[in-house]
């Protein structure tokens, strides 16, 4: 197996985030399910955008956030995603390249505009997302570069891709190419509502294609339809090389075929916005994993990255994560 040019290549929905504060009443009045990620059409996107208060616009998307965090840690990352040749598409391309992530995917010259996610942050720091996928739906097998996939130690994919047939085909093609090159495949379950929509096929995907699985306790319990976290741990054990399960303030649990490692959550000075917590945890874990660190260290790096991102608005790190990890872990 040749030496990898990249540590991780992320594949996901290339989305520009619009983040605004709102109270629970606003969610109720606009029939928005708190804490969920809901797919919306263009008309609903325009309607909600017009009702939202002042916001911050920045490049986002789950896998994009993970790759931005990975680059901040010092990792060599690349990204595959679909944008339109419009203003938001240019913003996304500039932003992700500016943080040090390689992004060479071609832009669509017609069709739907670049995707956007309208994120409402309530006073309890919970985030509720309404996502218009736009150009994201055009991601397909032709966008998967075999050379790029074969040159990355890990191919990381977000579960949200499983909503569209073309993206699903792209996902499977990438997984097959990665394994054919002797590389690893990683999946994040993304959202418990996403798991509910695709439970059976997700289970088959984990069993047949995934080496490194990320999910929170609600997602993993939904996947295996159990009411107890310990039962979910037992259910996932041995189905992939490693399952990394986050539990908010309870920390995380890393599950392998023979071991279960619990790691505490990192202290947070002030909880501001939970957007991107899981994405940045994956950044840290994958950074440690691609450097051969033990599971407990990988999870600790993930916890440090997650704690940083929830201490401010937005799903991308504001601090230099490499320096932060070095300071907290002494290495």
């Amino acid at each position: 197996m040749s030496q990898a040019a990249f540590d991780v290549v992320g594949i996901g929905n290339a989305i520009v985030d619009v983040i605004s504060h709102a109270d629970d009443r606003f969610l109720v009045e606009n029939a928005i399910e708190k804490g969920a990620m809901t797919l919306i059409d263009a008309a609903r996107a325009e309607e909600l955008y017009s009702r939202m208060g002042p916001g911050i616009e920045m490049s986002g998307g789950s896998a994009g956030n993970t790759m931005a965090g990975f680059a901040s840690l010092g990792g060599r990352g690349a990204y595959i995603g679909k944008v339109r040749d419009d203003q938001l598409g240019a913003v996304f391309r500039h932003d992700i390249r500016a943080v040090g992530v390689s992004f060479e995917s071609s832009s669509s010259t017609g069709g739907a505009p670049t995707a956007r996610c309208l994120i409402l942050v309530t006073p309890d720091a919970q985030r509720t997302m309404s996502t218009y996928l736009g150009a994201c739906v055009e991601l397909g097998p032709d966008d998967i570069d075999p050379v790029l996939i074969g040159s990355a130690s890990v191919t990381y994919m977000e579960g949200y891709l499983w909503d569209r047939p073309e993206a699903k085909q792209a996902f499977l093609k990438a997984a097959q190419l990665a394994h054919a090159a002797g590389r690893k495949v990683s999946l994040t379950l993304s959202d418990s509502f996403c798991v509910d929509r695709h439970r059976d096929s997700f289970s088959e995907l984990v069993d047949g294609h995934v080496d490194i699985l990320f999910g929170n306790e609600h997602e993993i319990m939904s996947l295996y339809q159990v009411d107890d976290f310990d039962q979910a741990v037992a259910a996932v054990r041995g189905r992939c090389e490693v399952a990394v399960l986050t539990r908010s303030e309870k920390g995380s649990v890393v599950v392998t075929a023979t071991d279960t490692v619990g790691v505490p959550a990192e202290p947070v000075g002030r909880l501001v916005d939970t957007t991107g917590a899981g994405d940045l945890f994956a950044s840290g874990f994958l950074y440690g994993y691609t450097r051969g660190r033990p599971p407990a260290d990988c999870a600790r790096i993930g916890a440090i990255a997650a704690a940083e991102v929830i201490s401010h608005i937005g799903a991308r790190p504001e601090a230099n994560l490499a320096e932060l990890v070095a300071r907290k872990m002494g290495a």
Side-chain angles (χ1 to χ4, degrees):
M1 183 172 62
S2 61
Q3 184 176 1
F6 294 101
D7 300 309
V8 178
V9 55
I11 306 175
N13 290 325
I15 299 172
V16 175
D17 290 340
V18 182
I19 307 172
S20 180
H21 288 283
D23 55 23
D24 289 341
R25 181 179 177 181
F26 182 89
L27 301 183
V28 172
E29 290 176 345
N30 288 278
I32 303 170
E33 184 172 3
K34 185 174 181 176
M37 193 291 290
T38 304
L39 295 177
I40 59 175
D41 60 18
R44 176 66 166 165
E46 290 294 331
E47 176 190 13
L48 285 180
Y49 184 77
S50 69
R51 296 179 181 179
M52 291 171 61
I56 299 171
E57 296 185 355
M58 61 184 69
S59 296
S62 177
N65 295 335
T66 295
M67 297 316 303
F70 192 79
S72 181
L73 285 160
R76 300 166 300 165
Y79 182 78
I80 295 173
K82 202 71 173 178
V83 296
R84 174 73 190 272
D85 60 344
D86 54 18
Q87 181 176 354
L88 288 182
V91 167
F92 185 94
R93 187 176 299 277
H94 172 269
D95 283 0
I96 199 163
R97 285 177 168 175
V99 298
V101 178
S102 175
F103 179 48
E104 302 301 329
S105 297
S106 60
S107 300
S108 298
T109 57
T114 298
R116 70 286 316 266
C117 181
L118 308 180
I119 302 174
L120 297 169
V121 182
T122 43
D124 59 1
Q126 282 292 311
R127 83 278 189 262
T128 300
M129 299 178 288
S130 299
T131 303
Y132 170 56
L133 290 175
C136 286
V137 302
E138 298 174 9
L139 179 73
D142 290 345
D143 294 301
I144 302 302
D145 180 355
V147 174
L148 178 58
I149 297 299
S151 67
S153 295
V154 178
T155 293
Y156 174 81
M157 299 179 280
E158 62 181 68
Y160 292 131
L161 286 172
W162 215 241
D163 276 317
R164 300 286 180 171
E166 297 82 1
K168 189 179 298 186
Q169 293 168 18
F171 194 128
L172 292 173
K173 177 181 177 180
Q176 291 162 0
L177 287 168
H179 282 149
R183 310 301 190 184
K184 300 292 186 180
V185 173
S186 182
L187 167 73
T188 175
L189 292 174
S190 295
D191 185 286
S192 58
F193 298 96
C194 187
V195 175
D196 291 341
R197 291 194 295 273
H198 306 295
R199 182 174 293 109
D200 291 343
S201 58
F202 263 172
S203 183
E204 293 175 2
L205 183 67
V206 171
D207 290 350
H209 296 279
V210 174
D211 303 298
I212 310 160
L213 177 68
F214 291 93
N216 64 35
E217 60 182 329
H218 303 295
E219 293 158 3
I220 200 68
M221 288 165 63
S222 174
L223 181 63
Y224 295 111
Q225 294 185 282
V226 295
D227 299 320
D228 179 79
F229 178 71
D230 290 337
Q231 290 178 326
V233 169
V236 75
R237 189 185 305 281
R239 292 182 177 272
C240 51
E241 177 186 318
V242 56
V244 188
L245 311 176
T246 56
R247 308 188 73 190
S248 299
E249 71 278 1
K250 297 177 184 177
S252 62
V253 175
V254 183
V255 184
T256 67
T258 59
D259 201 9
T260 302
V261 178
V263 177
E266 194 70 15
V268 180
R270 186 166 75 99
L271 179 60
V272 176
D273 175 15
T274 58
T275 307
D279 302 335
L280 270 292
F281 186 94
S283 300
F285 191 93
L286 289 170
Y287 180 79
Y289 180 91
T290 54
R291 276 145 185 80
R293 301 286 288 265
D297 282 1
C298 296
R300 174 82 196 284
I301 298 170
I304 292 169
E308 191 282 334
V309 82
I310 65 177
S311 67
H312 57 77
I313 291 290
R316 302 257 169 116
E318 292 184 347
N320 182 303
L321 293 183
E323 295 177 358
L324 185 62
V325 168
R327 186 168 69 249
K328 285 181 172 288
M329 298 186 68

